[in-house]
Amino acid sequence: MSDIQRLKEEALGKIEALSDLKAVEDFRIAYLSKKGIVASLMEKMRELPKEEKASFGKDVNILKQALTECLEEKKAILEKEEERRKLESEKIDITLDAYTPKLGTLHPLTLVQEAIEDCFIGLGYKIAEGPEVELDYYNFERANIPEGHPARDMQDSLYIDEKTLLRTHTTAIQMRVLEKEAHDLPIKLICPGKVYRRDNDDATHSHQFMQAEGLVVAEGITLGDLKGTLQFMIDSLFGEGHTIRFRPSYFPFTEPSVEVDMSCHVCHGKGCPVCKGTGWIEILGSGMVHPNVLKMAGIDPTRYTGFAFGIGLERVAMLKYGIDDIRDLYSNDVRFLEAFKRLD
Ligand code: DAH
C-alpha cells in the first residue's frame, strides 16, 4: 500500500471517530487547511522526479476529495445530532399541569357591605361616603350633640385636635349629606364606612370597626316605613322569616329612637346560647331623624320627615358566619379568610 493510501485509511478512520463539531474543525485544520497535511503533500510533489509527479498529484487530489467529502458527511451528521439534542433539551412537556393561580376571596366585611349595598341599591338608594378624619361639627354638633352634651360620653372618641377627630359613627356622613342635599329632596342613602372608638380590643370590641348608615328624608316618611325597610334588609341579609321588633331607646339625632331586635336566626325565637335564651338579637339602632337635625340642615321639619339607622357590619358578619371573636376579622389570617365565599 502506498504512503498516501495508508494516510487515507488512517484519516478516514479518524473522521469516522470524530464525535463533535469542534473535532471536525480541528481535523479540517490539521488535514485540509493551507498549512495542513494534504497541502504539505502538494509541497512535497515539487521535490519528486518529473515522471512521478503526475500520478502523485492525482493520488493527493483523490485523497483531498475523499477526505473533504467524508468530512462534510460527518459534519452534516453531527450537526443533525446537535440539533436533535438541542430540540430535546428545549422540549416543553405539555403533559405538565398548567399553573392555576390561587384566587383570593372577598373579606367577610366586604361581603356584608356589598350585601347591604345591593339590597338598598335595589330599592333606589344611592351610596355615599365621607372622611374618616372628621370635624367635631359633623360628628357631634350637627347630630344634635353640642359641646358638653352628656351623649358625647356614649362614644369614646379619638381626637386629633380640638375640632377634629376620627369619626365615631357613620352618622357623620349622614350629617354631611343632609347639608349638601337639603335642596334636592327626597334623600335615600346608604353610607358605609370605618369608624373609630377609644376602646380596648377584646372578643367583642375593636377600636376600629365598620358601620353602614341609612337615611331617608322625604314628605310623609313614618316609623312604619322604617320598620318595613329594616324588615326587608334583615330578610336580605339573613333570609326570610325573621321577625323584628322595636324597643324604645335614645339617640340624640333621632326622635323617637328605637333599638331594633331580630328573632334569633339560630333558634328562630325559641331561645339558645346565641341569643342568650331570649329568642331576640339586638341588631341596630335607628329612629326618626330629629327635627333639630333637619332644621340645622335647612330642611323644614313640619313638611319633611325622615328615618335613619346605623348597623354594625362586624356584628352582622359575626352573626351570619358564626364568628365569635371580632379580632378574627382584623388578623387577616388567610386560612380564616378562605373560609368565606359570597353571601349568595
Ligand atoms: N350612630 C349610632 C351609633 O354609632 C347608630 C345609629 C343609631 C345611627 C340611630 C342612626 C340612628 O342613624 O338613627 O351607635
Side-chain angles (χ1 to χ4, degrees), residues 104-114 210 314 317 321 323 326-333 336-338 340-341:
T105 51
L106 289 179
H107 192 280
L109 288 176
T110 308
L111 292 176
V112 169
Q113 182 179 336
E114 286 189 355
M210 290 192 79
E314 284 76 1
Y321 296 123
I323 300 163
I326 196 170
R327 290 167 295 195
D328 286 342
L329 291 166
Y330 290 104
S331 59
N332 283 333
D333 183 328
F336 171 81
L337 295 176
E338 274 179 347
F340 299 95
K341 297 277 177 262

Side-chain angles (χ1 to χ4, degrees), residues 195-216:
V195 299
Y196 302 82
R197 304 262 173 105
R198 197 150 40 77
D199 237 334
N200 290 326
D201 293 357
D202 61 25
T204 52
H205 295 85
S206 170
H207 62 283
Q208 182 245 291
F209 55 101
M210 290 192 79
Q211 291 184 329
E213 189 87 0
L215 172 69
V216 171

Side-chain angles (χ1 to χ4, degrees), residues 261-275:
D261 298 338
M262 67 168 193
S263 55
C264 179
H265 60 300
V266 176
C267 65
H268 301 286
K270 286 194 210 84
C272 71
V274 173
C275 57

Side-chain angles (χ1 to χ4, degrees), residues 165-211:
L165 75 165
L166 293 176
R167 70 179 174 207
T168 58
H169 52 183
T170 44
T171 306
I173 314 177
Q174 181 193 147
M175 298 313 151
R176 281 180 176 270
V177 170
L178 277 174
E179 181 180 79
K180 217 172 100 205
E181 301 197 10
H183 305 293
D184 192 18
L185 300 176
I187 294 172
K188 281 168 88 181
L189 277 173
I190 287 294
C191 320
K194 293 192 187 103
V195 299
Y196 302 82
R197 304 262 173 105
R198 197 150 40 77
D199 237 334
N200 290 326
D201 293 357
D202 61 25
T204 52
H205 295 85
S206 170
H207 62 283
Q208 182 245 291
F209 55 101
M210 290 192 79
Q211 291 184 329

Side-chain angles (χ1 to χ4, degrees), residues 303-314:
R303 185 169 166 204
Y304 295 99
T305 50
F307 67 69
F309 62 88
I311 185 166
L313 303 193
E314 284 76 1

Side-chain angles (χ1 to χ4, degrees), residues 139 145 154-155 168-172 174-175 195 197 209 211-215 226 250-259 284-290 307-312:
N139 198 79
I145 319 174
M154 285 165 78
Q155 301 176 351
T168 58
H169 52 183
T170 44
T171 306
Q174 181 193 147
M175 298 313 151
V195 299
R197 304 262 173 105
F209 55 101
Q211 291 184 329
E213 189 87 0
L215 172 69
L226 171 63
Y250 171 76
F251 298 105
F253 32 89
T254 43
E255 183 57 39
S257 301
V258 290
E259 205 87 52
L284 59 92
S286 66
M288 299 303 290
V289 181
H290 198 292
F307 67 69
F309 62 88
I311 185 166

Side-chain angles (χ1 to χ4, degrees), residues 25-88:
E25 181 59 9
D26 290 346
F27 181 93
R28 191 192 62 77
I29 292 167
Y31 281 82
L32 297 163
S33 69
K34 273 185 195 150
K35 286 185 181 150
I37 292 169
V38 175
S40 67
L41 285 176
M42 287 293 197
E43 291 281 310
K44 248 192 205 163
M45 190 169 70
R46 276 196 236 135
E47 296 155 19
L48 288 175
K50 228 179 181 180
E51 58 280 10
E52 286 176 31
K53 265 187 187 158
S55 87
F56 186 83
K58 198 176 156 206
D59 287 350
V60 173
N61 267 333
I62 291 170
L63 168 72
K64 190 177 175 186
Q65 205 176 342
L67 294 189
T68 306
E69 271 170 23
C70 210
L71 194 66
E72 279 306 310
E73 243 168 63
K74 187 72 185 176
K75 194 176 169 195
I77 292 169
L78 288 175
E79 271 171 354
K80 264 224 172 93
E81 247 170 48
E82 181 116 318
E83 190 181 300
R84 197 182 41 79
R85 231 178 295 129
K86 226 176 176 179
L87 284 174
E88 194 81 13

